[in-house]
Amino acid sequence: MSSSWNSVGLEVLYQVLGWVAFFAWSFSFYPQVILNYKRKSVVGLNFDFLVLNFTKHSSYLIYNAAMFFSPFIQRQYHEKYGDKEMIPVAANDVAFSLHAVALTAFTVFQVFIYERGIQKVSKVCISITAIVWTAAIVCLIIAWPKSDWLWLIDVFNSIQVGMTAIKYIPQAIMNFRRKSTIGWSIGNILLDLTGGVLNFGQMGVQSIDQHTLVNFYGNIGKTLLSLETVFFDVLFIIQHYVLYPAKKDENADDFPVLPIEVKHVAAQ
C-alpha cells in the first residue's frame, strides 16, 4: 500500500501545481510551432536541439508511463524505498510526456516542409543519439532475464536527465554565434521556465506533506529536470533581452541572413 496524503489542502495544492505546470510546459511548444508557421522558416531553430529533445521526451514518456501504469514496477519501487512512500509520478507527468513527444515530432515535421537554409543535424548529435538508444537496448537485454524493470526505467529517467542537460547547448551556441535569438521563440522559454518552477514546487509540497525528501531522490530525474530547465531558461532570457535584444524594426517574421546563407542563395 502506498502512503496517502496527510493534508487535503496540500493534496489539492499538489494537483493544482502539477496541472498548471502541465499546461505551462505543454503550451510552451506552441509559440515555436506558430513562429515557424508564420515565418514559413525554421532558420534560427537548431536541429540538434530538436533531435536531442525528441530523445529526451521519448525517454521521459517511457519512464512516466511505466511508473504510473505498471503495478509490478510500483511494487519494486516500494520494495526499494518503503511501502509508505508515494509513487513519484503523477497523471500530469504522463499527460505532459505524451503531448511533448507529439509536439516535438510535429516540429521536426516542420523542418522538412519549411525553409531551413543550410542547417542540418550535426554528426556529433547523430552519434550521441545512436549511442544513447544503443545503450538503452543493451540495458533492456540485461534487465529482461531478472525482470529488473525499475532499474530499466531508471535508466530511461537518467537518459532524459542527460538529454535535458545537453539539448539546450546547441541552441545557446547558435544564438551566441548569430548574436541573435530571432527564430527561437522566447514565449517557449517563458512558459518552460514557469513549468520548471511549478514542477519543483509540486515536489516540495509532497515532501512537506509526507515529511520526507524521498520523492526528490526517488525520482531524481524529475528533480534535475526542473533545475536544468530553470538554469537554461534563465540563460536564454538573458540572451534574448540583455545580450541580443531585437531591434525595433525587427519582428517575428524577419530573421538575419548569415553570410554563409547568402553564399548558399547566390550559389543557387
Side-chain angles (χ1 to χ4, degrees):
M1 292 287 293
S2 60
S3 176
S4 59
W5 286 89
N6 297 312
S7 168
V8 175
L10 289 177
E11 180 181 8
V12 171
L13 179 59
Y14 174 86
Q15 293 295 337
V16 170
L17 289 176
W19 283 107
V20 174
F22 161 74
F23 284 111
W25 264 341
S26 296
F27 288 147
S28 73
F29 290 90
Y30 290 95
Q32 187 66 57
V33 169
I34 294 172
L35 181 61
N36 295 342
Y37 170 76
K38 287 182 176 180
R39 299 168 70 233
K40 297 297 186 293
S41 170
V42 291
V43 174
L45 173 61
N46 190 275
F47 297 169
D48 286 4
F49 164 77
L50 281 180
V51 173
L52 296 174
N53 202 31
F54 187 79
T55 299
K56 169 260 186 325
H57 286 304
S58 298
S59 301
Y60 199 35
L61 173 59
I62 292 172
Y63 171 82
N64 283 332
M67 178 67 81
F68 188 78
F69 291 111
S70 172
F72 185 80
I73 293 178
Q74 292 176 3
R75 184 165 64 251
Q76 290 186 336
Y77 180 87
H78 288 139
E79 289 174 353
K80 182 176 181 179
Y81 294 107
D83 291 338
K84 295 183 179 181
E85 297 303 328
M86 300 178 68
I87 296 302
V89 173
N92 63 274
D93 295 317
V94 181
F96 165 73
S97 294
L98 283 169
H99 183 269
V101 170
L103 264 292
T104 303
F106 183 79
T107 307
V108 171
F109 170 71
Q110 288 184 311
V111 169
F112 291 97
I113 63 174
Y114 293 145
E115 169 62 31
R116 58 181 180 272
I118 61 171
Q119 293 178 197
K120 60 183 180 180
V121 180
S122 71
K123 293 181 179 179
V124 173
C125 177
I126 294 174
S127 298
I128 291 175
T129 304
I131 291 172
V132 165
W133 285 111
T134 299
I137 293 174
V138 171
C139 289
L140 172 61
I141 295 173
I142 294 174
W144 194 293
K146 299 180 180 180
S147 297
D148 197 356
W149 304 122
L150 178 63
W151 172 78
L152 179 62
I153 67 168
D154 279 340
V155 169
F156 282 102
N157 202 13
S158 297
I159 289 175
Q160 74 92 7
V161 171
M163 291 298 100
T164 302
I166 67 175
K167 72 175 185 176
Y168 293 110
I169 296 176
Q171 185 68 55
I173 293 175
M174 173 181 278
N175 293 345
F176 170 75
R177 289 176 175 173
R178 298 170 72 233
K179 298 297 185 289
S180 172
T181 59
I182 295 178
W184 172 243
S185 174
I186 192 60
N188 167 24
I189 297 305
L190 296 176
L191 287 168
D192 194 43
L193 176 61
T194 300
V197 172
L198 293 176
N199 188 61
F200 197 78
Q202 184 190 35
M203 299 181 72
V205 168
Q206 182 176 333
S207 291
I208 293 172
D209 180 84
Q210 299 294 302
H211 307 292
T212 177
L213 296 176
V214 168
N215 66 301
F216 278 99
Y217 59 82
N219 188 358
I220 190 66
K222 188 174 181 178
T223 303
L224 293 178
L225 168 63
S226 297
L227 294 176
E228 291 169 344
T229 296
V230 170
F231 173 80
F232 280 104
D233 286 344
V234 170
L235 172 62
F236 285 123
I237 288 173
I238 292 174
Q239 284 188 321
H240 183 82
Y241 291 109
V242 180
L243 298 179
Y244 320 122
K247 297 178 181 178
K248 293 182 179 180
D249 59 344
E250 290 177 336
N251 56 57
D253 296 324
D254 299 325
F255 56 94
V257 179
L258 302 180
I260 192 170
E261 292 171 12
V262 173
K263 181 179 179 181
H264 173 71
V265 173
Q268 293 181 331

